[in-house]
């Protein structure tokens, strides 16, 4: 018998990079995890609303492929986190279920949005089969329901909101999740975290690859059996250094946000996603946190 020794570099310590690192470490692989920040999940992975997508927002993809992909992730997300992080995930703050509001200037009609919601829900039921829902205490098997005109007017300004739907979709507190993931990564002996390090490029070899990086103003490099690129910023530029380029146009969107803690005396703001265009979300977490986001254009 023999032991296969392997060392892997993971570029980017967002949620994807950290989860890949933990999965490899659990299988005995030594991992070097690189990020330009001083810790794990300090950028996009913690600065979002934490929505565990049931596919509802992707109504402009009439193939429903995006909705199906997001649902495949959502339906196993809690079980994956539990395997990697343990039962500490039960302390995560969960949002109230989302309402979906069709804006008067939406790219899609009410009929198109409603058809998408129904088809996405059908995909969720198909993918889940006879299993009990494992979705942060919410039952996604409940179909989206359109509010009456009176119910819609009680929650939203009907001068801009033409229709609203109640769903079972929820978000988790992404900042709290980031802290959990960071603690787990730094405690894992098979993972070495290299913070404050900027990746410059990757050089391929027949038996592996070399990662070129800059730390403390000095350039250096290390050789690995495999390299996994999970960067957000600079991902395509690093891919190009090994001759990889996307086969289709690549879109980056910029989203602005505010994260607030509401006093108990403030009126409760419903968790809402406005579709479809340059709008955004409001997310009300059960611990009183509020997340507001919008796209400057879209």
């Amino acid at each position: 018998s023999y032991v296969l020794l392997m060392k892997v570099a993971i570029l980017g310590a967002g949620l994807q990079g950290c989860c890949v690192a933990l999965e490899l470490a659990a299988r005995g692989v030594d991992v070097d995890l690189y990020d330009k920040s001083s810790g794990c999940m300090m950028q996009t992975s913690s600065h979002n609303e934490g929505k565990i997508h049931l596919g509802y927002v992707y109504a402009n993809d009439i193939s429903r492929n995006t909705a199906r992909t997001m649902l495949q992730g959502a339906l196993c997300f809690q079980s994956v986190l539990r395997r990697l992080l343990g039962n500490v995930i039960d302390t995560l703050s969960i949002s109230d279920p989302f309402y979906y509001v069709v804006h008067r200037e939406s790219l899609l009609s009410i009929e198109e949005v409603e058809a998408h919601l129904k088809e996405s829900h059908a995909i969720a039921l198909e993918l889940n089969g006879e299993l009990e829902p494992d979705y942060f205490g919410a039952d996604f098997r409940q179909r989206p329901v359109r509010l009456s005109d009176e119910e819609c007017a009680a929650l939203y300004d009907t001068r801009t909101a033409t229709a609203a739907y109640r769903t079972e979709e929820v978000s988790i507190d992404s900042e709290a999740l980031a802290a959990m993931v960071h603690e787990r990564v730094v405690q894992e002996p098979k993972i070495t975290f290299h913070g404050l390090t900027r990746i410059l490029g990757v050089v391929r070899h027949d038996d592996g690859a070399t990662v070129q990086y800059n730390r403390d103003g000095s350039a250096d490099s290390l050789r690995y059996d495999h390299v996994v690129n999970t960067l957000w910023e600079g991902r395509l530029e690093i891919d190009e250094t090994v001759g990889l380029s996307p086969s289709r146009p690549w879109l980056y969107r910029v989203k602005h946000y505010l994260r607030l803690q509401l006093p108990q005396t403030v009126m409760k703001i419903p968790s809402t996603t406005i579709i479809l265009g340059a709008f955004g979300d409001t997310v009300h977490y059960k611990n009183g946190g509020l997340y507001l986001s919008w796209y400057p254009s879209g």
Side-chain angles (χ1 to χ4, degrees), residues 18-271:
C18 289
C19 287
V20 172
L22 290 169
E23 289 281 9
L24 290 174
R27 290 158 173 76
V29 176
D30 290 315
V31 175
D32 279 357
L33 178 60
Y34 291 89
D35 201 271
K36 69 177 184 179
S37 299
S38 60
C40 301
M41 290 182 61
M42 294 185 67
Q43 297 189 50
T44 304
S45 290
S46 63
H47 297 332
N48 63 75
E49 72 273 23
K51 183 184 284 187
I52 314 302
H53 282 281
L54 296 179
Y56 296 145
V57 76
Y58 301 99
N60 212 24
D61 179 6
I62 60 175
S63 73
R64 312 302 183 222
N65 288 335
T66 307
R68 179 176 291 274
T69 298
M70 299 306 291
L71 276 160
Q72 287 170 337
L75 300 190
C76 68
F77 190 70
Q78 182 171 347
S79 62
V80 169
L81 286 187
R82 192 175 302 280
R83 187 179 75 248
L84 296 178
L85 304 179
N87 291 336
V88 66
I89 67 167
D90 293 329
T91 64
L92 285 169
S93 184
I94 311 302
S95 76
D96 296 328
F98 274 82
Y99 292 91
Y100 271 75
V101 171
V102 183
H103 196 280
R104 190 167 299 280
E105 297 180 4
S106 171
L107 297 172
L108 301 176
S109 67
I110 294 173
E111 292 74 20
E112 289 172 315
V113 170
E114 187 161 315
H116 174 75
L117 295 178
K118 289 180 178 178
E119 292 180 31
S120 295
H121 180 249
I123 294 171
L125 297 181
E126 169 205 329
L127 292 175
N128 192 64
E130 300 300 320
L131 299 175
E132 285 296 310
D134 189 17
Y135 184 72
F136 299 96
D139 188 354
F140 60 84
R141 297 172 301 183
Q142 302 297 316
R143 65 180 179 84
V145 176
R146 183 172 177 176
L147 303 187
S148 67
D149 292 343
E150 293 76 16
E151 290 173 320
C152 185
L155 291 172
Y156 304 105
D157 186 340
T158 54
R159 289 174 297 180
T160 54
T162 60
Y165 297 83
R166 183 186 300 110
T167 79
E168 290 295 313
E169 190 174 76
V170 296
S171 284
I172 61 175
D173 185 340
S174 59
E175 282 192 335
L177 176 62
M180 293 176 185
V181 172
H182 177 80
E183 182 176 3
R184 176 70 183 85
V185 166
V186 297
Q187 289 177 346
E188 170 54 57
K190 301 294 287 185
I191 300 174
T192 302
F193 177 69
H194 299 273
L196 301 175
T197 303
R198 185 172 291 276
I199 303 301
L200 303 176
V202 176
V203 178
R204 269 181 171 168
H205 311 293
D206 292 338
D207 58 348
T210 295
V211 174
Q212 301 169 327
Y213 59 87
N214 187 300
R215 184 186 300 139
D216 297 328
S218 299
D220 207 341
S221 63
L222 284 171
R223 189 158 177 159
Y224 296 93
D225 297 294
H226 299 282
V227 177
V228 182
N229 185 5
T230 68
L231 292 169
W232 182 256
E233 180 185 349
R235 178 176 177 179
L236 298 185
E237 288 83 350
I238 299 304
D239 280 353
E240 286 179 358
T241 65
V242 292
L244 297 175
S245 58
S247 59
R248 52 176 171 73
W250 194 279
L251 173 68
Y252 282 104
R253 294 188 298 173
V254 175
K255 194 175 189 180
H256 295 180
Y257 80 97
L258 292 172
R259 194 185 293 271
L260 312 168
Q261 191 69 31
L262 293 180
Q264 294 295 322
T265 54
V266 173
M267 181 186 71
K268 184 175 178 180
I269 298 174
S271 294

Side-chain angles (χ1 to χ4, degrees), residues 4-15:
L4 176 62
L5 298 178
M6 181 182 295
K7 191 158 188 178
V8 174
I10 297 177
L11 315 182
L15 181 58

